[in-house]
Amino acid sequence: MSLQIYISGKLYNKEDAKISVYDHGLLYGDGVFEGMRSYNGKVFRHREHLERLWKSARAIMLEIPISMDEMEKAVNDTLAANNISDGYIRLVVTRGAGSLGLDPNRTQNPQVIIITDKISLYPDEYYENGLEIVTVSTIRNHPAALSPRVKSLNYLNNIMAKIEGLQAGCEEALMLNHNGEVAECTGDNIFIVRNGELLTPPIDAGILEGITRQAVIDLAREAEITVREIALTRHDIFTADECFLTGSAAEVVPVVKLDRRVIGDGKPGPITRKLKDRFHEYTRS
Ligand code: PXG
């Protein structure tokens, strides 16, 4: 049976799951999304993802046409319809179809789309030996232009950075903010370990408030590791003992090189490995 996709209250075969070319989500990137994971049939931090989706929508004055409880149920029902217990969920809310022109008042019926699918992971090699990343010249969106806290359908800022990273031969790219400080990667948050402490840029560095980032902060504090959210520069990463990225797709992935420079001893460090293992246990228990 074909994969079932939820669109605004109904399930469609993947081949028939279509929305209007007049949808402002397509015409202008006017909409919001979430990327979540399910483990053993349960969506990881489901409510937090939905709360972030609702906040993103509120920030762009988009009213989600169903309640949070209804959304939660629709996600679970779509997973069940596809018999997926460990997978990836993409939630999309578009502004809906309207006339041409930016004016969101000329649209009707925001569309809710739920795609549940298998997740394609980074190769095991990256988790064992670490990833190499590169700083790109595309800076993160200026928060006064479009807040990076909004997970909007306009992801070109990150896509431009991703292209630069790929052209330099790296799967992930480090983005700085408008002050030249470390912000985040194109789809992952960044952490370093220095003198046994875990450091990560604060939200006001202009980053997405990652759900995995928060889960890792929680797990580190439980393990009595000091966590500080402080402004970081590239220098801090070059001179760090350890570095890793977090994200719904990547989970916890060690980073061993930035801009061809070896971080620490060039191998995933002990605190990174501990948090990676704890995250694995936490999500699979
Ligand atoms: N920063 C940015 C810019 C992101 O887009 C993260 C950090 C990590 O946040 P979470 O909440 O996932 O820990 C993201 C998340 C995809 C995909 O399909 C992208 C994300 C998440 C899941 C899948 O490329 N981005």
Side-chain angles (χ1 to χ4, degrees):
M1 198 177 76
S2 162
L3 199 74
Q4 299 292 294
I5 314 282
Y6 172 102
I7 304 177
S8 300
K10 284 195 209 134
L11 289 175
Y12 298 85
N13 289 332
K14 183 176 171 179
E15 305 72 46
D16 305 321
K18 293 180 179 149
I19 64 158
S20 169
V21 293
Y22 282 89
D23 194 302
H24 282 208
L26 175 68
L27 290 176
Y28 303 112
D30 189 355
V32 292
F33 78 102
E34 274 297 318
M36 330 193 272
R37 253 189 197 253
S38 69
Y39 299 97
N40 299 323
K42 191 168 178 296
V43 179
F44 181 67
R45 298 212 167 181
H46 202 163
R47 214 63 192 185
E48 278 102 315
H49 278 285
L50 296 183
E51 276 160 12
R52 188 170 68 184
L53 181 73
W54 254 257
K55 274 192 204 147
S56 290
R58 179 167 258 261
I60 67 162
M61 296 185 76
L62 168 62
E63 198 162 331
I64 299 178
I66 58 176
S67 71
M68 219 183 270
D69 286 344
E70 286 166 334
M71 184 72 90
E72 190 170 343
K73 184 172 183 309
V75 169
N76 290 333
D77 291 351
T78 309
L79 278 169
N82 290 296
N83 213 4
I84 292 173
S85 62
D86 292 276
Y88 174 63
I89 303 121
R90 167 57 61 99
L91 263 176
V92 182
V93 185
T94 73
R95 188 76 72 177
S99 52
L100 298 177
L102 296 180
D103 187 351
N105 298 318
R106 302 228 185 125
T107 63
Q108 285 165 348
N109 305 329
Q111 298 294 302
V112 177
I113 302 165
I114 304 171
I115 305 169
T116 58
D117 211 331
K118 290 285 166 208
I119 184 137
S120 65
L121 302 166
Y122 279 147
D124 285 347
E125 215 264 322
Y126 295 168
Y127 293 89
E128 279 146 33
N129 302 324
L131 192 64
E132 176 171 353
I133 63 173
V134 64
T135 313
V136 292
S137 59
T138 304
I139 62 162
R140 196 70 177 93
N141 278 332
H142 193 297
L146 173 61
S147 174
R149 295 170 75 174
V150 176
K151 214 164 155 62
S152 87
L153 293 185
N154 196 318
Y155 242 49
L156 276 174
N157 180 219
N158 309 60
I159 291 166
M160 297 312 283
K162 181 90 180 179
I163 291 170
E164 271 190 83
L166 290 173
Q167 282 181 334
C170 292
E171 290 278 336
E172 250 302 11
L174 179 66
M175 303 178 80
L176 306 178
N177 67 17
H178 55 284
N179 292 322
E181 297 157 349
V182 169
E184 60 184 333
C185 289
T186 66
D188 300 300
N189 292 110
I190 188 162
F191 286 83
I192 60 169
V193 176
R194 184 166 73 199
N195 300 331
E197 291 184 346
L198 195 56
L199 311 178
T200 194
I203 303 304
D204 66 13
I207 62 170
L208 185 79
E209 281 182 274
I211 308 284
T212 321
R213 173 185 180 277
Q214 191 56 51
V216 166
I217 291 174
D218 296 346
L219 288 173
R221 290 198 169 130
E222 267 171 42
E224 298 191 342
I225 297 166
T226 301
V227 185
R228 291 197 289 140
E229 296 176 52
I230 55 165
L232 298 173
T233 62
R234 229 157 48 111
H235 170 85
D236 296 304
I237 302 183
F238 291 147
T239 57
D241 301 319
E242 303 179 27
C243 179
F244 64 86
L245 309 180
T246 64
S248 294
E251 301 186 311
V252 177
V253 62
V255 172
V256 290
K257 270 190 192 171
L258 171 65
D259 303 335
R260 304 243 160 129
R261 294 162 70 143
V262 171
I263 299 168
D265 66 1
K267 298 193 191 84
I271 293 185
T272 301
R273 278 190 276 117
K274 182 173 184 169
L275 291 170
K276 179 166 79 73
D277 292 347
R278 289 209 171 202
F279 185 80
H280 204 267
E281 278 164 36
Y282 178 58
T283 50
R284 275 108 176 143
S285 62

